[in-house]
Amino acid sequence: DIHELVSRVDDVLDRVQEIAETFLLYDVKEPTPEAKELAQILDAQAERLLEAFRGLDAMKGVEASLKEVHELENRADGRSRAAIAGLFRGDIDPLEVIKWRDIYHYLEEAIDAAEDAAEVLERMYHKAT
């Protein structure tokens, strides 16, 4: 279980690195409001995961924190779809569409990876209780 949890957390970090590298490779100067919102969701997930880890010692607050990780992922699903759909409306440079579609996709993958880590932690918590 611990190995799987470490692997899932590593997946989140790998996705975050991928996002950062993509910003550099694509020479992105400033994130879009949608990218900022997705990044804030990912940040909130990280905070809730940390709360859940800390709650394991006392076996307190873990379920509420993990539930919020799932709720954040659900919210991100709609936001990322809306962001991608917005790229195909209006008169946006096709290269910008490609850049941001990739970045939104990578953000969504990182958010999904955080939820995967929460699911492993949730299984571990339920085994211990």
Side-chain angles (χ1 to χ4, degrees), residues 69-121:
V69 171
H70 296 301
E71 290 170 357
L72 288 161
E73 191 279 333
N74 289 334
R75 192 169 92 202
D77 282 341
R79 299 293 198 270
S80 64
R81 282 192 295 270
I84 291 170
L87 293 172
F88 295 96
R89 294 189 188 107
D91 190 26
I92 300 174
D93 178 347
L95 290 178
E96 290 299 308
V97 170
I98 293 168
K99 285 181 186 183
W100 287 106
R101 184 192 61 198
D102 287 353
I103 291 169
Y104 296 149
H105 176 74
Y106 296 149
L107 281 161
E108 179 62 30
E109 283 183 342
I111 291 165
D112 289 345
E115 183 180 39
D116 292 344
E119 288 171 356
V120 173
L121 191 55

Side-chain angles (χ1 to χ4, degrees), residues 4-89:
E4 185 179 1
L5 179 60
V6 169
S7 180
R8 295 303 129 237
V9 171
D10 184 59
D11 290 345
V12 177
L13 296 174
D14 288 346
R15 301 292 83 72
V16 170
Q17 182 176 353
E18 186 175 39
I19 294 162
E21 289 173 354
T22 301
F23 266 76
L24 292 173
L25 290 170
Y26 289 179
D27 196 31
V28 173
K29 301 295 185 209
E30 188 175 325
T32 63
E34 296 86 357
K36 286 180 184 179
E37 184 176 6
L38 290 169
Q40 289 168 344
I41 289 171
L42 180 58
D43 180 61
Q45 282 183 306
E47 289 292 328
R48 298 302 80 76
L49 282 170
L50 182 58
E51 287 174 2
F53 279 118
R54 289 181 175 154
L56 283 177
D57 283 339
M59 300 300 275
K60 200 171 179 186
V62 175
E63 288 180 299
S65 295
L66 295 175
K67 181 181 178 193
E68 193 167 343
V69 171
H70 296 301
E71 290 170 357
L72 288 161
E73 191 279 333
N74 289 334
R75 192 169 92 202
D77 282 341
R79 299 293 198 270
S80 64
R81 282 192 295 270
I84 291 170
L87 293 172
F88 295 96
R89 294 189 188 107

